[in-house]
Every structure is written in structure tokens, then in C-alpha cells.
Amino acid sequence: MATNGSPRARALSAALRDARNVRGISLRELAKKLSLDQSHLSKIETGKRVPSVETTAMILAVLGTGPSERERILDLAKNASEPNWLTVGMPGIPQQLAGAVESEREASAIVYWSPMIMPGLLQTADYVRTIAIADGQPKHDVESRVMVRLARREVLTRREPAKFDVLVGEVALRQPIGTPDMMIEQLRYLIKASVEYPNVNLRVVPTRVGWHPGTAGSFALYEFPDSPPFVHFEHYSSGAFVTNSDDIEAYRKAVAAIGQYAYSPADSTNFIAQVIVEEYQENDIRDQMAQEHV
């Protein structure tokens, strides 16, 4: 079955690809063991085809995938063609995260609204680490989370990077996560990304501008070159992918509405520098930016 580009289908293709790589089996070797054409298997792993539950189970059996991982992947296969994806409860969040990561990897453009914390793709290692520890993550999982988060930045720096329009709330800039030095490093990285990455368009939305659609919470809008767009939003123990065209249009209008209150990219970097000075008495950044504008 050809893929409809649904979030579940993308998560399934990534899960099967990862399961094979963990086992250390080549695509050619697996195809031979399954008596399948290698090109057919390749289309499954790249998301161009959605395997049936039976085919998925056969692949996992040959790979010797463990019971819990097998159950997780089969659950994705059972619902792979469903367009929308709602998860309530912590157990389902990792699957949605996999879908989000794969969506980032394949997207040609991403619009992200982050009112309260730093945008995920622009978080520093210490910022990610601090949140993971505060969230009570097991020590052995913390560094794994940091590595995954930093690896996700590759979509912004690869040869053909995704266009990344990010709207970040002033609250996120002033909310102390970790030590002052860690926050200075994080804020400096926002400036670096905005200035040095031509595909990153970062704008700050100040507080006290009144109601706008973004007050309802964060969301990400993904655009793809060969399949319909969708929106992902996530809260602490729930999340959803939304694919309905009317909903997508509503979120596009929300982006435009939020953007009306946002500073320009240049004014945003100046504002971030100002926050560093105001919150952390770090004057070097102000002097540096003053020199750059001479």
C-alpha cells in the first residue's frame, strides 16, 4: 500500500529502519531472508510504502525484535493509515516523538511556535540536560535524550536544510532553566542560529500584546515536498498530529496572527542580547553586537 504520508506511517518506517540497524543487518540481507524484493523493502523503510501488519510482523520476527519493541511497532502498523493521531498518557508519547523526529527529517519547511521554552531544535545540550533531570528522567536516559536532541539539529545544517520559521515567546527567553551561565549560552546560541543559518528565521514575540491564537500553546507545522502538511502539538502527557485541511488552514492563519506581534529577525537578535544584559548582566554580548552594527 502506498503511503499517505501520515505521521504514524512515517514513525513506522523509521521504527523498522532502526530495528534493522540495531540488529546490524543490511537491507539486502534482510530482503533475502524475507524473500522480498530489496526495492520493496527499501520503499517501506523510506516511507514510500506502508507495510501490512502481517509483513511488519514477519520483518520483526526475522530481526528477532524483543516483545515490548515488537508490540510498539505492530501498534504503529495497525493504525499506520489513520491521518490524525491523538495520544493521551505518557506511554504513547515516545511513539509520537518518533513521528515528530521523522517528520523533521523529511520536512521541507517547519514553522514552530514556542511560547514558554526554547524551541527544541535550538536547545543547547545543557538546556536539554537540565530539563531531563528536572523531569525525573533516569540518569542513564538523560545523556541519550541530549544526544538525540542535538542530532535533530542536522535538519537545519545539512546540505539541503529545512526552512525553519520559529516564533519564540519572550517568556521563554527570561524563564531561567539551569544556571545563569547555561542560560547565557542558550540565548547566545539563539543569536548564532539566527545570524549564521540562512534557513532559520527567528522572531521574538513580546509579552503584554493581548490575546492571540498562540496563547493556546505551542505547535509545529510541517510542510513536505511530496505529501500533505500536518500540525503537531504536544503537552506534558498528551499530544496530537492533525492533518485535516481546514485545521491546517486555521493554524496557518494562527501563524500569521502571531507573526503580527513578532519583532523582525534583526530586532529579535537585538532583543535577545538585551535580555542577556538585563537578566544576567552580561555586557560582552551587547558590546559585540554594537560593533557588528557599526
Side-chain angles (χ1 to χ4, degrees), residues 87 90 93 96 216-219 232-240 251:
T87 291
M90 294 300 289
I93 292 299
Q96 281 216 345
S218 62
F219 61 84
H232 179 234
F233 57 87
E234 180 183 348
H235 298 289
Y236 183 63
S237 64
S238 62
Y251 275 98

Side-chain angles (χ1 to χ4, degrees), residues 128-146:
V128 178
R129 187 177 292 111
T130 300
I131 292 176
I133 293 172
D135 193 34
Q137 293 295 317
K139 187 175 181 179
H140 62 275
D141 286 345
V142 170
E143 291 309 311
S144 175
R145 176 178 289 200
V146 171

Side-chain angles (χ1 to χ4, degrees), residues 16 41 47-48 99 102 116 144 146 154 159 168 179 184 191 204-205 233 249 255 259-261 271 273:
L16 290 172
L41 195 58
K48 293 182 173 61
E102 191 67 7
M116 301 297 292
S144 175
V146 171
E154 187 267 342
R159 178 171 296 181
V168 57
T179 67
I184 291 172
I191 295 174
V204 173
V205 179
F233 57 87
E249 184 59 29
V255 169
Q260 290 181 344
Y261 298 102
F271 185 80

Side-chain angles (χ1 to χ4, degrees), residues 64-84:
T65 305
S68 60
E69 184 70 357
R70 174 186 171 87
E71 182 179 353
R72 182 183 76 83
I73 296 175
L74 285 175
D75 182 63
L76 286 171
K78 291 173 185 175
N79 303 284
S81 297
E82 293 183 12
N84 296 324

Side-chain angles (χ1 to χ4, degrees), residues 264-282:
S264 69
D267 288 342
S268 293
T269 56
N270 286 329
F271 185 80
I272 296 170
Q274 178 183 330
V275 170
I276 294 175
V277 175
E278 292 175 353
E279 299 290 337
Y280 304 104
Q281 291 78 51
E282 175 60 68

Side-chain angles (χ1 to χ4, degrees), residues 165-203:
D165 289 314
V166 56
L167 294 157
V168 57
E170 179 182 346
V171 172
L173 306 180
R174 298 187 186 275
Q175 178 74 9
I177 304 292
T179 67
D181 284 346
M182 288 163 54
M183 280 301 297
I184 291 172
E185 179 191 20
Q186 173 64 75
L187 292 169
R188 281 175 176 267
Y189 184 72
L190 291 187
I191 295 174
K192 172 184 171 69
S194 181
V195 172
E196 296 185 7
Y197 302 159
N199 53 308
V200 174
N201 182 45
L202 185 149
R203 292 180 291 161

Side-chain angles (χ1 to χ4, degrees), residues 5-286:
S6 75
R8 287 183 197 265
R10 295 178 190 277
L12 175 60
S13 66
L16 290 172
R17 187 174 64 245
D18 290 345
R20 178 180 59 78
N21 287 332
V22 166
R23 185 67 188 275
I25 296 178
S26 69
L27 191 67
R28 181 178 181 178
E29 183 181 356
L30 179 59
K32 184 177 180 180
K33 288 177 178 292
L34 292 166
S35 298
L36 289 176
D37 185 78
Q38 184 176 334
S39 64
H40 178 80
L41 195 58
S42 176
K43 288 178 181 178
I44 289 176
E45 289 197 3
T46 56
K48 293 182 173 61
R49 295 193 65 85
V50 179
S52 65
V53 175
E54 292 75 18
T55 298
T56 301
M58 185 170 61
I59 293 172
L60 297 176
V62 170
L63 292 175
T65 305
S68 60
E69 184 70 357
R70 174 186 171 87
E71 182 179 353
R72 182 183 76 83
I73 296 175
L74 285 175
D75 182 63
L76 286 171
K78 291 173 185 175
N79 303 284
S81 297
E82 293 183 12
N84 296 324
W85 187 2
L86 172 65
T87 291
V88 178
M90 294 300 289
I93 292 299
Q95 288 196 24
Q96 281 216 345
L97 175 60
V101 170
E102 191 67 7
S103 298
E104 289 171 355
R105 192 180 69 83
E106 297 183 5
S108 56
I110 304 169
V111 181
Y112 199 93
W113 160 236
S114 187
M116 301 297 292
I117 64 172
M118 298 297 172
L121 287 176
L122 298 179
Q123 291 177 2
T124 64
D126 280 337
Y127 194 91
V128 178
R129 187 177 292 111
T130 300
I131 292 176
I133 293 172
D135 193 34
Q137 293 295 317
K139 187 175 181 179
H140 62 275
D141 286 345
V142 170
E143 291 309 311
S144 175
R145 176 178 289 200
V146 171
M147 291 177 62
V148 169
R149 176 68 73 180
L150 295 184
R152 289 166 65 180
R153 285 187 191 170
E154 187 267 342
V155 303
L156 302 179
T157 59
R158 64 194 180 196
R159 178 171 296 181
E160 295 183 7
K163 186 176 183 294
F164 189 44
D165 289 314
V166 56
L167 294 157
V168 57
E170 179 182 346
V171 172
L173 306 180
R174 298 187 186 275
Q175 178 74 9
I177 304 292
T179 67
D181 284 346
M182 288 163 54
M183 280 301 297
I184 291 172
E185 179 191 20
Q186 173 64 75
L187 292 169
R188 281 175 176 267
Y189 184 72
L190 291 187
I191 295 174
K192 172 184 171 69
S194 181
V195 172
E196 296 185 7
Y197 302 159
N199 53 308
V200 174
N201 182 45
L202 185 149
R203 292 180 291 161
V204 173
V205 179
T207 56
R208 303 187 181 185
V209 294
W211 184 91
H212 56 74
T215 57
S218 62
F219 61 84
L221 171 61
Y222 298 96
E223 303 273 1
F224 302 94
D226 56 0
S227 58
F230 54 73
V231 167
H232 179 234
F233 57 87
E234 180 183 348
H235 298 289
Y236 183 63
S237 64
S238 62
F241 283 96
V242 178
T243 63
N244 180 273
S245 59
D246 290 338
D247 290 327
I248 299 301
E249 184 59 29
Y251 275 98
R252 285 192 173 125
K253 290 179 179 178
V255 169
I258 299 168
Q260 290 181 344
Y261 298 102
Y263 297 133
S264 69
D267 288 342
S268 293
T269 56
N270 286 329
F271 185 80
I272 296 170
Q274 178 183 330
V275 170
I276 294 175
V277 175
E278 292 175 353
E279 299 290 337
Y280 304 104
Q281 291 78 51
E282 175 60 68
N283 292 303
D284 288 348
I285 186 71
R286 180 176 58 187

